[in-house]
Amino acid sequence: MALPPDLVADDVIGLRDQMSARIAAVLRPKGGKRKEADAPLPKGLEPLAALPPHIDRPWRRFDAAATELQGFRGLRASAQADERHMAASEAERSAANTDSDDRWRAFEQWNAGAAGLSDDGQTPAPSEARWLYAQLFPAPEGLRFITRRPRVQWAAMVQRMKTLEEERAQAVIEGFGGTRHHRQLVAAHARFGEAYGFTNVVLAKEGTPTDGRPQWSAARDALRSLIQKIESHADPEIPGSEALAAFLLAPYVEMVDDLARTRRRAPARKPEAVPAPPPEAGGTP
């Protein structure tokens, strides 16, 4: 038996749900009575205590295979969403790193400018700015710490940010007009810590499930077997068998017809142009 060539996972999962509803409608426990809210059954089909075993077994296999396929698709969709989120996180890390580097460069230039002033008797003295510069950018390291690996860079920055919190450093910052530089440096430092997980939790990316061929193949095979068993159940000599088969197969027949209509509505592809053969040697071009 050949399934429709353009069958997709959504068709199989939807078909599972439709057939499940019909099976639930036809099954009634022994002694159970139909209720007004129960799904109507076609003429000639009576409620059953259980499906015939040769239908029940392939149905259970198909139900399990379609459920596994649906679960895989859910995991893959979730993983793909995580990948998009991780991609955004990577972009934020890069931006946070660039921002932090730029703010440290700006702060170093400001501090160097203040340290280069001559002593004019005002406070704080330029010597205090030179003290701060020596604390933050000592030779031969200077600004090289912003080029290190994130963990090394973070440790170096934390040490320097603690220095900037000291009263002596704050007097230099305020006295030489570096408050704005410092404020932006603090913000960039916080952004760096969050982006790289030093001040919040950043979960590691898990492997993305990508190969759903086993689940897809199992679902298709189970569906093919189920349809064959239901079709073979129909026997004019067994009362109600034809009605049961038609009732259970109705969603499949509807799906096949829907796929066929979709194919008919699809625009016809233009035949590829066949290049004309080259003129024979000596012939008319």
Side-chain angles (χ1 to χ4, degrees):
M1 173 187 174
L3 297 174
D6 43 357
L7 190 68
V8 297
D10 287 335
D11 293 320
V12 172
I13 294 170
L15 180 63
R16 185 274 315 272
D17 293 342
Q18 289 179 302
M19 296 187 74
S20 178
R22 288 181 174 249
I23 289 173
V26 80
L27 292 182
R28 290 292 177 274
K30 290 184 178 179
K33 296 183 179 180
R34 287 187 59 80
K35 302 176 182 178
E36 292 184 2
D38 289 340
L41 297 178
K43 185 178 180 180
L45 180 59
E46 297 296 329
L48 302 174
L51 288 175
H54 58 279
I55 293 179
D56 183 62
R57 285 190 294 271
W59 158 249
R60 291 182 185 276
R61 286 195 295 271
F62 172 61
D63 184 29
T67 299
E68 185 175 353
L69 175 62
Q70 185 177 31
F72 168 80
R73 285 163 56 82
L75 288 175
R76 184 175 61 183
S78 177
Q80 289 172 343
D82 288 341
E83 284 186 347
R84 290 190 290 271
H85 174 70
M86 289 302 296
S89 298
E90 288 297 330
E92 169 57 17
R93 285 185 177 187
S94 178
N97 183 59
T98 299
D99 186 27
S100 176
D101 292 352
D102 289 346
R103 300 289 71 75
W104 275 109
R105 291 190 185 97
F107 197 88
E108 188 273 340
Q109 291 171 3
W110 165 82
N111 197 171
L117 293 175
S118 60
D119 192 353
D120 54 5
Q122 297 187 32
T123 56
S127 59
E128 287 296 287
R130 289 191 285 273
W131 164 83
L132 180 60
Y133 191 91
Q135 296 295 313
L136 301 179
F137 313 107
E141 174 74 2
L143 263 174
R144 290 179 186 173
F145 67 90
I146 67 174
T147 66
R148 309 300 186 194
R149 291 181 292 108
R151 289 183 178 83
V152 177
Q153 179 176 344
W154 174 254
M157 292 192 302
V158 167
Q159 176 186 348
R160 287 161 171 78
M161 295 303 289
K162 288 182 178 178
T163 297
L164 290 173
E165 293 174 359
E166 296 176 6
E167 183 177 350
R168 186 177 180 182
Q170 286 294 312
V172 174
I173 292 170
E174 294 175 6
F176 288 98
T179 300
R180 189 173 181 181
H181 290 75
H182 180 245
R183 183 169 60 247
Q184 292 191 8
L185 181 61
V186 169
H189 181 74
R191 183 183 182 185
F192 186 99
E194 290 180 4
Y196 283 92
F198 295 114
T199 56
N200 68 340
V201 177
V202 176
L203 298 178
K205 180 176 66 174
E206 297 181 357
T208 303
T210 57
D211 189 2
R213 286 175 296 181
Q215 293 85 350
W216 174 234
S217 179
R220 284 174 57 90
D221 291 344
L223 172 60
R224 184 183 298 107
S225 176
L226 175 62
I227 298 304
Q228 290 173 337
K229 293 296 184 180
I230 296 176
E231 287 179 334
S232 65
H233 177 73
D235 187 340
E237 298 182 1
I238 302 178
S241 63
E242 292 179 307
L244 176 61
F247 184 66
L248 296 181
L249 286 175
Y252 178 76
V253 173
E254 178 188 5
M255 181 191 71
V256 171
D257 291 342
D258 184 49
L259 290 173
R261 285 194 299 271
T262 302
R263 286 193 296 270
R264 289 194 296 269
R265 288 196 298 266
R269 295 180 60 183
K270 293 183 179 180
E272 295 183 3
V274 179
E280 297 181 1
T284 304

